[in-house]
């Protein structure tokens, strides 16, 4: 007999044997004994049902935690025990204000617009407060307390919610793909955590006097729309109330210089309201504007100076070069103005572009002056030739008239007298009184070496224009960079 059959036989013998002692000669007892013995020695492979006398091991009943969560929610959020329209009580069940602890996680920035003076970004906003009516700590056993740490809801209308809004919001949107991106967690002690992902566009008042060397501070104001400070107080959560994503990048040539959190309580005619403020410092990256604005403008101004090295008689080349550079600078200035809002003050980029346009226009005016000087030089050259011709004719005419005493006119050229066979020149004709002269200046001598005034203007412009532009650059960068640093402090 196998071990299992033997154990079943012993169990049957212990329970049935006393009955056979009382009714040893009963036919029913003998028949029952035969049936039980056949069951004990029967097939144990599991094809036949086990005997009803076999002992079974008892297991502890399993707990359906989902069902228990439903029971807890029904018990604390039933229509007879909870009203979501009523504000939670204050600390220690008093009628004081409800404290709402806020934490913000910045996910990404999508736009920073200088023209509309706004910025768009995506955040996850978390609010936490305590509602004693939702406490279920006393309903949890030891086993349930280890498994049920909080209850999760997705319907915000089931519990009381603070009427939070953003004071400087222009456009806002919730995310509902694939499901609404929000959750509500109810903890055993009655704490409620509300987390939601939203995309908002906020107004940002920008001061662009130092553009593009500026830094803009934009804010996000969080306040209650209807609950005054006596009923609802917002508090920044301890630790890191404002958090940023690790791979965060900013559009529009900006970088995030700094960020912080502070309070901005406001008083209106309807009362005093609690307010939280997030400060975001957007630092403009100068390298972008150096490549796209400052270097091209400097190159355009430098190209306009090439006309100083061209011959003043090359009228088509110099005019075409001046007009082309002027149009290029005008187009660059117009594109800069289109990317900025019209403001009542002068911006740093306006000073730069305006001076560059002035230099290019001055180079064009310089050629107009050179052209006028060249025509004056031509007229002066013709007059000098005529004057020399007349002087030569007068001297020839005077040489034909000798004085009666054999003398020569004092104004007669000695060479002409030698050619006429003169034997003697008057002393006054060759003796000249030398007037002492000062030593000329090198710069004056260098300028006088050029015969024509047009050439002098071109040579002077080759030095003057780059020198003045370099002086302007030194003043521009030192002035505006100093103001930008003082503004940051």
């Amino acid at each position: 007999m196998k071990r299992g059959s033997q154990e079943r036989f012993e169990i049957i013998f212990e329970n049935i044997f006393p009955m056979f002692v009382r009714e040893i000669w009963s036919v029913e007892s003998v028949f029952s004994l035969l049936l039980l013995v056949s069951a004990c020695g029967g097939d144990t492979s599991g094809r036949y049902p086990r005997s009803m006398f076999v002992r079974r091991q008892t297991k502890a009943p399993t707990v359906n935690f989902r069902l228990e969560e439903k029971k807890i929610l029904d018990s604390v959020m039933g229509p007879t025990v909870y009203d979501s329209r009523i504000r939670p009580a204050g600390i220690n069940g008093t009628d004081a204000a409800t404290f709402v602890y806020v934490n913000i996680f910045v996910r990404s920035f999508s736009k920073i617009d200088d023209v509309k003076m706004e910025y768009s970004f995506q955040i996850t906003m978390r609010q936490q407060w305590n509602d004693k009516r939702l406490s279920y700590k006393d309903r949890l056993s030891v086993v349930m307390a280890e498994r049920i740490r909080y209850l999760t809801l997705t319907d915000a209308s089931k519990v009381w919610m603070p009427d939070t809004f953003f004071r400087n919001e222009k456009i806002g949107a919730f995310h509902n793909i694939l499901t609404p991106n929000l959750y509500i967690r109810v903890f055993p002690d009655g704490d409620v955590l509300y987390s939601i992902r939203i995309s908002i566009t906020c107004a940002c008042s920008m001061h662009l006097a130092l553009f593009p060397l500026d830094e803009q501070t934009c804010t996000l104001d969080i306040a209650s729309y209807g609950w005054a400070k006596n009923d609802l107080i917002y508090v920044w959560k301890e630790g890191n109330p404002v958090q940023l994503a690790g791979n965060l990048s900013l559009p529009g040539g900006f970088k995030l210089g700094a960020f912080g959190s502070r309070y901005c309580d406001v008083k209106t005619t309807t009362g005093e309201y609690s307010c939280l403020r997030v400060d975001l410092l957007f630092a403009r990256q100068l390298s972008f504007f150096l490549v796209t604005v400052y270097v091209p403008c400097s190159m355009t101004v430098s190209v306009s100076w090439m006309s100083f090295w061209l011959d003043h008689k090359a009228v088509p080349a110099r005019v075409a070069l001046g007009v082309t550079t002027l149009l290029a600078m005008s187009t660059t200035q117009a594109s800069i103005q289109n990317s900025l809002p019209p403001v009542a003050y002068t911006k740093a980029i306006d000073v730069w572009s305006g001076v560059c346009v002035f230099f290019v226009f001055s180079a064009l005016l310089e050629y107009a002056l050179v052209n006028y000087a060249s025509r004056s030089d031509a007229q002066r050259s013709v007059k000098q030739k005529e004057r020399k011709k007349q002087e030569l004719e007068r001297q020839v005419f005077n040489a034909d008239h000798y004085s009666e005493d054999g003398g020569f006119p004092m104004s007669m050229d000695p060479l002409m007298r030698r050619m006429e066979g003169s034997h003697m020149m008057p002393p006054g004709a060759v003796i000249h009184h030398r007037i002492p002269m000062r030593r000329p200046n090198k710069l004056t001598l260098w300028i006088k070496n050029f015969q024509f005034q047009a050439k002098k203007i071109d040579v002077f412009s080759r030095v003057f224009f780059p020198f003045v532009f370099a002086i302007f650059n030194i003043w521009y960068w030192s002035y505006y960079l100093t103001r930008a640093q003082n503004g940051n402090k």
Side-chain angles (χ1 to χ4, degrees):
M1 184 180 294
K2 296 182 180 179
R3 182 179 178 88
S5 300
Q6 184 178 0
E7 291 178 353
R8 286 196 293 271
F9 180 81
E10 292 176 355
I11 294 172
I12 295 172
F13 184 79
E14 292 176 357
N15 289 277
I16 304 302
F17 181 76
M19 181 179 65
F20 281 101
V21 173
R22 293 190 301 267
E23 301 179 5
I24 192 170
W25 302 109
S26 173
V27 177
E28 292 84 359
S29 299
V30 175
F31 182 76
S32 299
L33 180 61
L34 293 175
L35 290 176
L36 291 174
V37 170
S38 62
C40 293
D43 187 6
T44 59
S45 61
R47 291 179 296 177
Y48 300 98
R50 293 185 176 181
S51 173
M52 58 182 296
F53 299 100
V54 178
R55 292 180 179 177
R56 297 180 180 178
Q57 296 180 354
T58 59
K59 296 181 180 180
T62 58
V63 180
N64 189 345
F65 292 100
R66 303 287 79 80
L67 181 60
E68 295 296 330
E69 290 179 358
K70 179 181 180 304
K71 293 180 180 179
I72 293 174
L73 290 175
D74 292 339
S75 62
V76 299
M77 299 181 62
T80 59
V81 295
Y82 186 81
D83 191 349
S84 60
R85 300 171 298 175
I86 306 302
R87 177 179 63 87
I91 300 175
N92 298 326
T94 61
D95 196 29
T98 302
F99 287 88
V100 178
Y101 299 90
V102 179
N103 167 260
I104 290 180
F105 179 75
V106 180
R107 293 181 172 271
S108 62
F109 287 90
S110 57
K111 180 181 65 173
I112 300 177
D113 196 339
D114 296 316
V115 178
K116 297 181 180 180
M117 291 193 178
E118 63 185 20
Y119 70 100
S120 302
F121 66 150
Q122 184 184 125
I123 65 172
T124 296
M125 184 176 179
R126 306 182 185 98
Q127 304 177 78
Q128 187 171 354
W129 64 93
N130 185 267
D131 193 344
K132 292 298 182 181
R133 297 172 297 176
L134 299 177
S135 177
Y136 56 91
K137 186 185 298 183
D138 54 350
R139 294 179 174 86
L140 298 178
S141 62
V142 178
V143 178
M144 293 175 60
E146 294 179 355
R147 293 291 302 273
I148 303 178
R149 299 186 180 276
Y150 53 79
L151 302 177
T152 302
L153 305 176
T154 56
D155 189 359
S157 62
K158 297 297 183 180
V159 297
W160 177 88
M161 303 291 296
D163 57 342
T164 306
F165 83 109
F166 303 103
R167 295 179 56 195
N168 58 334
E169 173 200 355
K170 285 187 174 181
I171 302 174
F174 297 104
H175 294 265
N176 297 318
I177 300 176
L178 297 168
T179 58
N181 296 172
L182 63 89
Y183 66 80
I184 302 171
R185 291 178 179 176
V186 182
F187 293 88
D189 58 353
D191 284 345
V192 180
L193 175 63
Y194 175 51
S195 178
I196 186 171
R197 186 168 73 99
I198 52 179
S199 294
I200 53 177
T201 299
C202 298
C204 178
S205 179
M206 300 181 181
H207 188 67
L208 302 173
L210 300 179
F211 179 88
L213 307 174
D214 59 333
E215 291 184 351
Q216 303 296 334
T217 301
C218 296
T219 61
L220 175 65
D221 293 344
I222 305 169
S224 173
Y225 194 83
W227 296 102
K229 195 172 181 179
N230 296 331
D231 300 319
L232 187 65
I233 297 177
Y234 289 96
V235 182
W236 284 117
K237 197 171 183 179
E238 296 182 358
N240 295 324
V242 180
Q243 300 173 338
L244 303 177
N247 56 346
L248 188 64
S249 61
L250 274 67
F254 286 92
K255 64 179 180 180
L256 189 61
F259 62 94
S261 58
R262 55 192 175 100
Y263 295 89
C264 57
D265 296 348
V266 60
K267 287 185 178 181
T268 64
T269 56
T270 58
E272 183 178 3
Y273 296 88
S274 178
C275 175
L276 301 179
R277 175 168 294 174
V278 179
D279 292 325
L280 300 171
L281 182 62
F282 300 140
R284 206 181 301 272
Q285 292 181 336
L286 184 60
S287 59
F288 173 78
F289 293 92
L290 283 176
V291 175
T292 58
V293 177
Y294 287 100
V295 173
C297 289
S298 300
M299 294 175 64
T300 305
V301 173
S302 301
V303 168
S304 68
W305 298 339
M306 293 178 62
S307 62
F308 304 152
W309 300 87
L310 299 179
D311 187 21
H312 63 276
K313 297 181 181 179
V315 178
R318 296 191 66 163
V319 171
L321 183 61
V323 173
T324 303
T325 52
L326 183 60
L327 291 177
M329 272 306 310
S330 301
T331 304
T332 303
Q333 187 180 28
S335 63
I336 294 173
Q337 295 300 328
N338 291 334
S339 62
L340 295 175
V343 293
Y345 47 84
T346 303
K347 302 179 288 294
I349 195 68
D350 296 337
V351 176
W352 174 266
S353 59
V355 171
C356 290
V357 171
F358 174 77
F359 269 92
V360 174
F361 184 70
S362 299
L364 188 60
L365 290 181
E366 187 269 349
Y367 177 66
L369 182 61
V370 167
N371 192 11
Y372 173 78
S374 64
R375 288 187 285 108
S376 299
D377 291 339
Q379 295 176 1
R380 191 183 304 109
S381 178
V382 171
K383 290 181 179 179
Q384 288 179 356
K385 290 181 180 180
E386 292 179 355
R387 191 182 301 113
K388 287 182 179 181
K389 184 177 180 181
Q390 293 175 0
E391 183 68 20
L392 183 60
E393 291 177 353
R394 186 175 66 253
Q395 290 176 358
V396 171
F397 177 77
N398 292 334
D400 293 338
H401 298 80
Y402 293 98
S403 60
E404 295 179 355
D405 54 356
F408 295 92
M410 298 300 294
S411 60
M412 185 177 177
D413 190 2
L415 180 60
M416 295 296 297
R417 291 199 305 269
R418 188 179 299 113
M419 292 173 61
E420 296 293 335
S422 176
H423 300 283
M424 187 175 182
M425 291 185 299
V430 295
I431 299 175
H432 302 281
H433 298 284
R434 185 172 297 176
I435 301 175
M437 298 180 62
R438 295 181 181 180
R439 188 175 183 180
N441 190 7
K442 291 183 178 180
L443 180 61
T444 306
L445 183 62
W446 177 72
I447 294 176
K448 289 183 177 180
N449 288 334
F450 297 98
Q451 183 179 2
F452 301 102
Q453 296 294 331
K455 190 64 175 180
K456 291 180 182 180
I457 296 174
D458 275 343
V459 173
F460 180 76
S461 299
R462 295 172 189 174
V463 179
F464 178 76
F465 275 73
F467 176 75
V468 176
F469 191 70
I471 295 298
F472 165 73
N473 272 271
I474 295 174
W475 170 84
Y476 180 87
W477 294 108
S478 60
Y479 176 75
Y480 281 104
L481 288 177
T482 303
R483 286 192 58 185
Q485 293 177 357
N486 293 337
N488 296 339
K489 292 180 181 179

